[in-house]
């Protein structure tokens, strides 16, 4: 389990630090210059506010990245609910939302010494660039949660991660996942497909009843939501 904490004033990416770093270590910064999300996409990191952290979890207990992502998202919503009166939700597979805006992005990757699990948390971010203004929001500790600090949130997330690992975190995930029951569109083998997301497999893959009558299982990739 996490034995060491490496605090960085600034870094291109805690995800890269953790990849090149030691197992069972958490890399943490509030100033990141080359934050990336899934598929190498750019992720906005504010100059002030924001929590960026990546854990090198060592050898994986799970076969699939999606399971780590599901556990991490469950830990994040559980931590926020324990510390605040907010009701966060999850967009399958890796994003935590408040209302219709994202507050946390999660990224699980394989590193040379094990699983790397990263989170970018919008915490006390006052300004988002124009293109994110209708898609991103932040926890605002001074306005809404006078008693929450960055370190409260960080330690609660990892203690929830540890606690939920041995519990039925999939149920927590499902009860927060607003995608279930919705119509989703996605691409598979260059075909545009659409259907209703009905459930998750025990590993956290999305089960979709497609309009062509075939049930498909998605373990990553992208979905877009209709009428959301
Ligand atoms: P989405 O489903 O929102 O497109 P994703 O899960 O496919 O995201 P991620 O890597 O998690 O991909 O996030 C990248 C996307 O998140 C970007 O395309 C951008 O729209 C959005 N984004 C970037 N920075 C932030 C941020 N700080 N807060 C919230 N959303 C952000």
């Amino acid at each position: 389990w996490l034995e060491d904490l490496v605090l960085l004033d600034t870094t291109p990416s805690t995800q890269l630090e953790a990849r090149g770093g030691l197992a069972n270590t958490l890399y943490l910064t509030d100033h990141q210059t080359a934050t990336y999300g899934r598929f190498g996409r750019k992720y906005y990191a504010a100059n002030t506010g924001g929590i960026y952290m990546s854990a090198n979890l060592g050898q994986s207990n799970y076969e699939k990245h999606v399971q780590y992502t599901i556990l991490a998202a469950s830990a994040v919503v559980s931590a926020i609910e324990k510390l605040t009166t907010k009701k966060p939700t999850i967009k399958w597979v890796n994003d935590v939302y408040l209302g219709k805006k994202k507050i946390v992005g999660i990224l699980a990757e394989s590193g040379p010494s094990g699983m790397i699990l990263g989170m970018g948390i919008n915490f006390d971010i006052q300004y988002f660039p124009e293109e994110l203004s209708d898609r991103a929001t932040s926890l605002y500790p001074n306005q809404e949660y006078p008693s929450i600090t960055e370190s409260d949130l960080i330690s609660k997330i990892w203690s929830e991660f540890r606690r939920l690992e041995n519990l039925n975190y999939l149920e927590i995930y499902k009860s927060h996942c607003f995608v279930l029951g919705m119509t989703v569109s996605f691409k598979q083998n260059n075909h545009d497909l659409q259907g209703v997301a009905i459930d998750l497999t025990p590993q956290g893959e999305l089960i979709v009843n497609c309009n062509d009558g075939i049930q498909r299982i998605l373990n990553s990739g992208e979905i877009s939501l209709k009428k959301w």
Side-chain angles (χ1 to χ4, degrees):
W1 183 233
L2 295 174
E3 289 159 1
D4 272 315
L5 171 65
V6 177
L7 281 175
L8 301 148
D9 281 344
T10 180
T11 176
S13 158
T14 56
Q15 201 72 358
L16 297 177
E17 300 278 356
R19 288 179 78 96
L22 299 169
N24 307 318
T25 302
L26 180 66
Y27 295 81
L28 176 68
T29 191
D30 55 12
H31 189 251
Q32 200 161 253
T33 54
T35 311
Y36 63 93
R38 297 196 307 156
F39 315 114
R41 282 190 196 127
K42 260 186 96 166
Y43 203 81
Y44 171 72
N47 281 332
T48 56
I51 300 169
Y52 308 97
M53 59 182 171
S54 302
N56 181 328
L57 296 172
Q59 290 312 310
S60 171
N61 294 326
Y62 297 130
E63 285 164 29
K64 297 185 178 180
H65 290 185
V66 65
Q67 284 171 294
Y68 273 102
T69 308
I70 297 283
L71 171 56
S74 308
V76 169
V77 294
S78 177
I80 292 172
E81 282 177 353
K82 286 194 166 177
L83 293 173
T84 75
T85 55
K86 294 286 175 192
K87 293 274 166 261
T89 56
I90 301 170
K91 177 169 173 244
W92 186 85
V93 57
N94 66 323
D95 294 318
V96 176
Y97 276 67
L98 278 183
K100 291 196 171 184
K101 296 182 176 182
K102 194 192 291 195
I103 45 164
V104 181
I106 294 167
L107 182 63
E109 297 183 296
S110 298
S113 61
M115 176 61 62
I116 311 298
L117 183 62
M119 295 180 197
I121 303 173
N122 296 337
F123 186 84
D124 211 10
I125 294 180
Q126 302 300 329
Y127 161 85
F128 287 97
E130 183 64 35
E131 68 273 17
L132 289 179
S133 58
D134 59 348
R135 321 176 65 176
T137 189
S138 172
L139 288 170
Y140 292 107
N142 297 325
Q143 290 163 27
E144 292 164 282
Y145 321 104
S147 59
I148 287 200
T149 63
E150 268 191 32
S151 55
D152 288 336
L153 185 59
I154 294 163
S155 45
K156 189 59 95 186
I157 286 173
W158 292 108
S159 65
E160 285 301 290
F161 185 89
R162 187 65 167 157
R163 186 179 72 82
L164 294 178
E165 204 169 14
N166 301 313
L167 300 177
N168 192 353
Y169 58 85
L170 192 61
E171 284 309 311
I172 295 180
Y173 187 98
K174 281 190 200 178
S175 68
H176 289 82
C177 179
F178 63 80
V179 170
L180 295 177
M182 292 183 78
T183 299
V184 301
S185 308
F186 59 97
K187 247 190 178 12
Q188 215 172 54
N189 304 326
N190 270 335
H191 293 293
D192 289 316
L193 297 166
Q194 202 177 79
V196 180
I198 55 155
D199 204 356
L200 299 180
T201 67
Q203 288 75 33
E205 300 147 320
L206 191 67
I207 305 173
V208 182
N209 279 347
C210 291
N211 293 350
D212 59 7
I214 299 175
Q215 186 169 89
R216 292 185 174 81
I217 296 193
L218 311 183
N219 64 18
S220 67
E222 297 206 84
I223 51 167
S224 48
L225 302 174
K226 269 211 128 182
K227 289 194 202 129
W228 183 50

